[in-house]
Amino acid sequence: MVGLRFDLRDTPADAPALRAELRAFLAEAGRHWSPMVRAYSWMGFDREFSREVGRRGWIGMTWPRAYGGGERSAMERYVVLEEMLAAGAPVGAHWIGDRQSGPLILRLGTEDQRREFLPRIARGELAFAIGLSEPDSGSDLASLRSRAEKVPGGWRINGRKVWTTNAHRCDFMIALLRTSPVADPKLKHQGLSQFLVDLRASGIAIRPIPDLVGEEGFNEITLDDVFVPDAMLVGEEGRGWEQATAELAFERAGPERYLSSLPLLIAALDDLRAEPAAPEAVGRLLARAATLRQMSLSVAGMLQEGRTPAREAALVKDVGNDYEQALPEAVRDLTDPARTPEEVREMLGITTMVARSYSLRGGTREILRGIIARQLGLR
Amino acid sequence: MSDDLRSILLEQVERLLSDRSGPDLLRAVERGEWPAALWEEAEALGLPHALVPEAMGGAGLGWDDAVAVWQVLGRHGAPLPLAGGMAAAALLAVGGIAPPAGPIALAVPGEALAWGRRAEHAVTATGGEVALHLLSGAARQEGRSLIGREPADHVALGEPLARVALPPGCGPEAALLAGALLHAAQIAGALEAVLGMTVEYASTRRQFGRPIGGFQAVQQLLAQAAGEVAAAGVAAAHAGRAAARRGLAGGAFEIACAKVVAGEAAGRVAAIAHQVHAAMGFTDEHPLHLFTRRLWSWRDACGAERVWARRIGAEALARGGAALWPDLTAREEEARP
């Protein structure tokens, strides 16, 4: 493929033992998860569950022990992630911290930041939100206007962030803010910086935005003269765009970009046996799942080597989003409502609704394909 | 095979085909002209017996290496029946029969023999046995594949020269599985060629004062095609690795997945490539169809997507929802080198 390589990777040698442990845990923990919980998957928020996951050492697995991590490999972590997703576990209270906020702090944070935040994330106690999008800055993220002005001892923040998943339940947000104005729109990628913002600080108002599923998953955050101490700047002032872009590689690289709807297929499969069209349709879904899993593992292997596979991650996310959106449609085609148990029908309905978010969150389909087109030399 | 040796070999194959193949040769093949010079050079590189163990005079490549070679072959439109010959020689060797020199056709049940008119031998591998047949003098009906226009002949196979049992790892459908694997790999390679041609065309063809690849509508299509191309490549490599580790029968699930994903990608990418090439790509003169017709032909060879999807789908349905995910992960992790 034009410039992109996806070498096959093996899961780690201890994967079977790790899986056995996870499956036993998830079978017990998931006994009472509703179809809504399973269909919401990694957007679901359950602090008690996340604390239990943390107790078992499955958050911050790759981080140094000094910061509460487990010093395990990225591929072992991958096994944990895919098991959680296949089970439709409500991992939202620790997912963002484990996936991107923690790694960002580990890579670019100060020693104090690492000591303060990482152990608490790893224990499942500290939930993070992603403060990127704004009301007028979605795909054109660098046009964002929320700003941080220098004041003695820190920064004063004003502006609005939107679509911040679970922010009303989270503790901190890593916000991308403008710290120096730029006159020329072509230079909009400069002068941005990232900050750790305590969501309980004064001047912050969080308004949940009900979604079409009927949940309160995302929010609008208003920042009105919020004071953030100097110590909460992440990385380098003015380098926020590069930092956030690297962070997006983590955000886009994981198995949640193709597995979001798999719990539906698992739940529905037994009731599809009488449907003559089922073998072929299920086979096509399975072939794609097995292939996407290898693509996703390949990207995980690149992360393990310390690379930043932003373009590869964009490609796998794009193919994966197509797949996870096609899955509920395929299951629907095979489903006779009259012969389908209530729970499966409910899951199909919810997944059908949630699926629209797959190709929007973490970079829209159009943005991802733009990144791939750039890789192809077309822009 | 070590990664170094593998990349040297792949480079050699790539160079050979870059030098010797091209649209003219592919057109000649479609007229039934045997690519003699290319075949001789492929033999000089030891390619026909590359999958035969070194102790039997081959290069000792595995199915995973084979997929990489076949992908390069597909990138150049597979102008010679090398992939089937390599698989046939491999199956003979697994059964302990020394593969003969010269072109060998892989006989897949229900399929015509690629270049049956030139092959001196054919190999069948069904029902857990591998057999070597002599083709010279056998009654045959020459033809070519409908869309691909590649020489494909029906030859009456008589009593074999030799017939032996295959080890259990090969299963009862070794020839079919090898055929599906090689077509998935060739598709993955041809898709790369088609994507490359299409990106090139979009970058040079100008309308409204700029290259058409500058338009988002075209960029989005090509990005989508790139995703399909990558998926087909990964699916083929995955299947090759599974067969290398667990035998053809052990890798049957991954081979099925590869044939499904590569076949789906073939249809989607060919459609995008023609849309972007527009009327130019619909001409006989433009080389695009030399690849897209092969894609449409190869996706039907040795079981279309429908066939392989039904097989793995039926198995998954029989196993049930609770086994779906554990089965998907266990295949990888049960047998490690």
Side-chain angles (χ1 to χ4, degrees):
Chain A
M1 229 286 294
V2 188
L4 295 182
R5 277 185 59 167
F6 294 91
D7 293 333
L8 297 180
R9 309 284 173 155
D10 273 313
T11 49
D14 63 345
L18 192 51
R19 285 188 206 287
E21 208 184 328
L22 274 145
R23 285 174 190 170
F25 165 68
L26 289 167
E28 180 58 31
R31 270 197 301 173
H32 304 296
W33 288 339
S34 65
M36 179 65 100
V37 167
R38 288 184 194 271
Y40 237 59
S41 185
W42 55 280
M43 291 184 11
F45 198 96
D46 181 339
R47 275 192 189 267
E48 194 39 57
F49 176 73
S50 288
R51 269 195 286 271
E52 191 53 42
V53 173
R55 265 195 287 277
R56 286 162 192 264
W58 292 329
I59 304 175
M61 284 176 74
T62 64
W63 306 345
R65 284 183 196 282
Y67 306 124
E71 297 186 3
R72 300 180 78 168
S73 71
M75 300 308 268
E76 284 175 297
R77 173 174 173 266
Y78 187 94
V79 169
V80 172
L81 300 188
E82 63 174 1
E83 289 296 327
M84 294 275 175
L85 295 166
V91 290
H94 68 268
W95 199 253
I96 308 300
D98 178 73
R99 179 180 75 189
Q100 64 197 90
S101 310
L104 179 73
I105 292 167
L106 184 62
R107 260 183 329 124
L108 300 169
T110 62
E111 188 56 27
D112 283 350
Q113 287 171 351
R114 291 178 187 157
R115 293 198 179 280
E116 166 156 10
F117 291 105
L118 296 178
R120 289 159 70 200
I121 296 174
R123 286 197 299 269
E125 293 170 6
L126 213 52
F128 271 75
I130 306 167
L132 293 176
S133 296
E134 296 187 1
D136 295 324
S137 302
S139 288
D140 182 11
L141 182 61
S143 71
L144 62 84
R145 291 201 300 255
S146 292
R147 63 190 194 279
E149 293 160 290
K150 195 73 193 77
V151 292
W155 301 78
R156 188 171 54 225
I157 296 178
N158 281 286
R160 279 194 293 170
K161 290 290 176 186
V162 78
W163 318 134
T164 36
T165 301
N166 285 320
H168 58 311
R169 302 181 179 107
C170 286
D171 306 293
F172 274 83
M173 162 173 75
I174 294 189
L176 183 65
L177 303 167
R178 182 153 293 289
T179 41
S180 339
V182 286
D184 182 356
K186 287 204 182 84
L187 302 177
K188 64 188 174 184
H189 301 96
Q190 300 174 9
L192 299 169
S193 307
Q194 287 183 298
F195 293 89
L196 282 151
V197 179
D198 185 341
L199 289 170
R200 288 175 186 79
S202 115
I204 291 183
I206 304 177
R207 181 177 67 88
I209 304 172
D211 64 29
L212 61 83
V213 187
E215 290 286 286
E216 289 187 344
F218 50 26
N219 298 269
E220 180 175 54
I221 303 180
T222 309
L223 303 150
D224 185 10
D225 279 342
V226 178
F227 177 76
V228 175
D230 279 329
M232 293 295 111
L233 173 74
V234 186
E236 218 179 301
E237 185 193 331
R239 301 277 296 169
W241 180 259
E242 292 82 351
Q243 293 176 198
T245 309
E247 187 187 334
L248 281 171
F250 290 99
E251 181 171 348
R252 290 172 180 160
E256 70 268 39
R257 301 308 182 179
Y258 84 99
L259 277 177
S260 305
S261 58
L262 195 76
L264 169 64
L265 183 62
I266 292 169
L269 198 67
D270 292 354
D271 296 300
L272 301 179
R273 284 183 176 132
E275 168 54 48
E280 180 183 343
V282 168
R284 285 181 190 261
L285 291 175
L286 209 49
R288 284 259 149 184
T291 303
L292 276 160
R293 182 161 178 266
Q294 294 306 315
M295 298 175 85
S296 177
L297 274 164
S298 178
V299 175
M302 298 177 210
L303 288 176
Q304 162 118 325
E305 288 162 4
R307 293 162 57 190
T308 307
R311 290 161 177 189
E312 292 86 348
L315 183 141
V316 178
K317 178 180 184 299
D318 183 42
V319 181
N321 290 162
D322 272 356
Y323 172 75
E324 54 185 11
Q325 288 184 331
L327 191 150
E329 296 297 309
V331 170
R332 170 185 169 270
D333 273 345
L334 302 170
T335 299
D336 176 356
R339 282 196 315 213
T340 306
E342 173 67 26
E343 185 169 311
V344 174
R345 275 193 291 142
E346 201 182 325
M347 214 163 149
L348 172 58
I350 296 165
T351 307
T352 300
M353 292 186 278
V354 177
R356 296 337 312 165
S357 67
Y358 302 162
S359 57
L360 305 173
R361 61 190 187 189
T364 64
R365 167 174 297 133
E366 290 70 25
I367 286 294
L368 299 175
R369 290 188 180 167
I371 293 169
I372 301 165
R374 181 166 290 123
Q375 170 67 26
L376 293 174
L378 293 169
R379 42 186 302 196
Chain B
M1 176 176 236
S2 80
D3 286 354
D4 283 353
L5 282 175
R6 178 162 153 163
S7 52
I8 290 170
L9 177 81
L10 292 178
E11 241 167 70
Q12 285 177 328
V13 179
E14 173 63 45
R15 200 175 317 128
L16 171 66
L17 292 164
S18 301
D19 292 349
R20 293 282 177 196
S21 189
D24 291 345
L25 187 72
L26 294 175
R27 289 177 201 275
V29 163
E30 294 184 9
R31 291 192 300 269
E33 293 170 27
W34 172 247
L38 183 58
W39 177 263
E40 273 170 34
E41 293 196 57
E43 272 194 325
L45 284 179
L47 288 174
H49 291 184
L51 304 183
V52 174
E54 284 165 289
M56 294 176 79
L61 264 61
W63 293 112
D64 48 351
D65 306 312
V67 163
V69 172
W70 296 340
Q71 198 166 339
V72 176
L73 206 56
R75 209 180 288 153
H76 295 276
L80 71 177
L82 186 59
M86 285 168 65
L91 291 169
L92 285 175
V94 171
I97 302 174
I104 313 173
L106 178 70
V108 176
E111 310 258 334
L113 297 185
W115 282 105
R117 68 197 77 167
R118 297 296 304 207
E120 286 153 36
H121 296 87
V123 168
T124 57
T126 53
E129 291 180 328
V130 61
L132 177 65
H133 297 260
L134 191 64
L135 289 188
S136 36
R140 67 164 187 258
Q141 189 192 345
E142 293 186 5
R144 56 182 196 170
S145 60
L146 181 67
I147 310 180
R149 299 182 199 146
E150 296 175 292
D153 309 324
H154 290 279
V155 186
L157 300 181
E159 273 304 296
L161 298 173
R163 191 205 309 264
V164 293
L166 283 167
C170 295
E173 305 178 302
L176 175 66
L177 288 167
L181 181 61
L182 78 86
H183 280 99
Q186 288 192 169
I187 288 173
L191 286 170
E192 292 176 323
V194 167
L195 177 63
M197 289 166 83
T198 310
V199 168
E200 169 71 23
Y201 185 77
S203 308
T204 48
R205 167 74 175 168
R206 297 176 72 87
Q207 286 289 278
F208 305 102
R210 55 172 158 155
I212 58 169
F215 292 98
Q216 287 195 0
V218 176
Q219 290 175 0
Q220 296 277 313
L221 284 176
L222 288 173
Q224 198 180 351
E228 291 292 316
V229 175
V234 168
H238 186 211
R241 186 180 74 176
R245 289 180 179 174
R246 316 200 295 272
L248 286 168
F253 172 81
E254 287 83 356
I255 292 173
C257 290
K259 195 65 178 39
V260 171
V261 170
E264 288 178 346
R268 293 174 191 175
V269 174
I272 289 172
H274 277 286
Q275 190 64 29
V276 172
H277 277 87
M280 191 57 76
F282 200 69
T283 64
D284 175 59
E285 185 188 344
H286 195 282
L288 178 63
H289 67 90
L290 297 170
F291 289 86
T292 52
R293 283 188 293 100
R294 279 165 177 74
L295 286 173
W296 292 319
S297 177
W298 295 345
R299 68 177 173 170
D300 284 343
C302 301
E305 300 92 280
R306 181 187 72 256
V307 174
W308 291 105
R310 270 186 200 156
R311 183 187 285 219
I312 57 174
E315 197 183 296
L317 284 158
R319 298 266 300 151
L324 187 92
W325 178 252
D327 283 354
L328 203 59
T329 57
R331 281 188 196 91
E332 302 292 312
E333 288 164 7
E334 271 168 2
R336 289 282 175 78

